[in-house]
Amino acid sequence: GAIKPPLCAAMLYTKKILSAAVALLAIDTSYSFGCSPPERLSRLLKATESGEAPIILMPCCYDGITARLVAQSGFNATFMTGFGVSGANGYPDTQLVSFNEMVLAASKVAEGLSSAALENVKFGEPDYTGQPPVAIPCIADGDTGYGNAINVKRTVFGYARTGMAGMMIEDQVAPKRCGHVAGKAVIPFDEAVQRVKAACDARDEYEALFGKGTGPLILARTDSLVTDGFEDAIQRCIAFREAGCDMTFLEAPQTVEQMKEYCQRVTGPKLANMLEYGNTPILPPSELQQMGYTIAAYPLTLLSASIKTMQESLQLIKEGKPTLDKILPFAETKDVVGFTKYAKEEDRYKC
C-alpha cells in the first residue's frame, strides 16, 4: 500500500536525530565478528570500561524499523524500550503489554538488526567485500519479569531465544511504570536481590544448555531512589552486583552529584538514562564516561521525535498543505524499509 506522509516524516526526523548522534562515535566492530550477541555486548562493555573505546551510545528502539534505523546509522548497540513498545501499541508504559507481546517485539527487533547487518556489508551481492556482517547487540526491557522469580527466569530464556544480548530486570512492584512518572513503588530489598539473582541464574543455566557466551547479560535496575532514598538505591545496586548482575542502572538520579557518587561507589558497567525532559541531568557522552558510566541510553528520543513529526505532518494534511518538507523521498523510504535489498535478493534467486 501507499506509504503515508506521517510515516515518511517520522523516518526523516528519526534519521536526522541518529545522524547527529552517530557523529560522536568512533566505531570499530572488528573485535565482534563471529560471536554471539551476549559475547559481542560483553566485548563492547570491556572495551569501554578499559578506556579503549568511547562510551556506548545506545538509542532505544521498539520495532523492526527503528531497529533498522539505529543499525543503519552506525551505532554499535541498542536497547528495546518497554516504553516504546507500549507506546507503539497505543498504551502507556504501565505494564499493559504482556510477556508474549514483548518477546514478539524482541523478535521483530532482532530481525531488523540482522537484515540491516546483511545490507550494510552487501552480503551475498556481487560487490560483497568479504567483511563479515555484524548484527549490533540489543538489551531488552524485561520490566519486573512478569511474575515471581520463576517467571523472571522464563523471561530471560524467552529473550535469549530471540537473540537478545542482554535483559534489564527492575525492582518495581508490578504493574510497573516509567521511571520518570509519579506513582512508583518498589519491592523490599531482599526480594529485589532475589529477583536479580533469578535472572542471573537463568543466564547461567542458558549457557549451561547452549554454550558459553550465549546467556543474555543482566542489567539490574533500581527505582528506589524516589521511594526509599539515594542510599537505599546505592545499596541495592551493590547487592545486585554481589548477586551476579553484569551491569547496573540507578534510575532517575536528580543531580550530577548523585550520578558521580553512584559511579564512584558501584562497581562494573553502569547505564545513564538520558531522557530528555526527565528527572536526570542530560550530560554530554564524554562527561558521562569521565564520571564512570559505560552506556548512555536515549530511551524516548526516536519515539518522541517520530510523534512530533507525525503530528506536524497530520496538521499539514488537515490544512491541505504539502508535506514534502517533512518527509523522505519515496526512493529513500523504500530503501530504509528494505525494498532495495529485497529486489536484489529476488533477482539472485530467479531461474
Side-chain angles (χ1 to χ4, degrees), residues 31-32 37-58 76-77 137 139 165-166 216-219 241 245-248 268-271 289 292-296:
Y31 51 80
S32 55
E39 179 61 25
R40 188 168 297 128
L41 177 59
S42 179
R43 294 182 186 184
L44 285 171
L45 293 171
K46 289 176 182 176
T48 299
E49 285 274 283
S50 68
E52 297 174 15
I55 190 170
I56 301 167
L57 298 184
M58 193 174 278
N76 53 12
I139 300 173
L217 304 189
I218 302 302
L219 169 62
R241 285 287 291 164
C245 78
D246 301 283
M247 305 162 275
T248 59
K270 289 169 281 289
L271 182 144
Q289 185 168 18
Y293 282 104
T294 318
I295 301 168

Side-chain angles (χ1 to χ4, degrees), residues 5-7 9-10 303 305-315:
L7 174 60
L303 177 64
S306 299
I307 291 172
K308 178 181 179 180
T309 310
M310 285 192 282
Q311 287 176 333
E312 292 173 352
S313 299
L314 288 166
Q315 186 60 34

Side-chain angles (χ1 to χ4, degrees), residues 211-232:
K212 183 175 175 56
T214 60
L217 304 189
I218 302 302
L219 169 62
R221 161 180 160 177
T222 182
D223 284 76
S224 77
L225 187 153
V226 173
T227 60
D228 294 58
F230 180 69
E231 184 59 31
D232 183 83

Side-chain angles (χ1 to χ4, degrees), residues 115-134:
S115 64
L118 292 170
E119 292 172 25
N120 283 346
V121 298
K122 300 183 178 181
F123 191 77
E125 298 178 25
D127 52 350
Y128 173 54
T129 63
Q131 179 183 353
V134 177

Side-chain angles (χ1 to χ4, degrees), residues 151-207:
N151 293 89
V152 170
K153 296 179 77 170
R154 181 171 183 250
T155 303
V156 173
F157 268 64
Y159 279 141
R161 284 190 290 267
T162 67
M164 293 293 100
M167 189 193 91
M168 184 178 76
I169 188 72
E170 63 188 74
D171 60 1
Q172 281 197 51
V173 171
K176 59 86 61 183
R177 60 191 63 207
C178 169
H180 291 252
V181 301
K184 291 195 300 181
V186 296
I187 58 177
F189 188 103
D190 291 342
E191 185 180 346
V193 174
Q194 288 303 308
R195 182 181 284 178
V196 172
K197 186 177 186 304
C200 295
D201 287 346
R203 171 201 61 203
D204 298 341
E205 290 166 11
Y206 195 88
E207 290 199 348

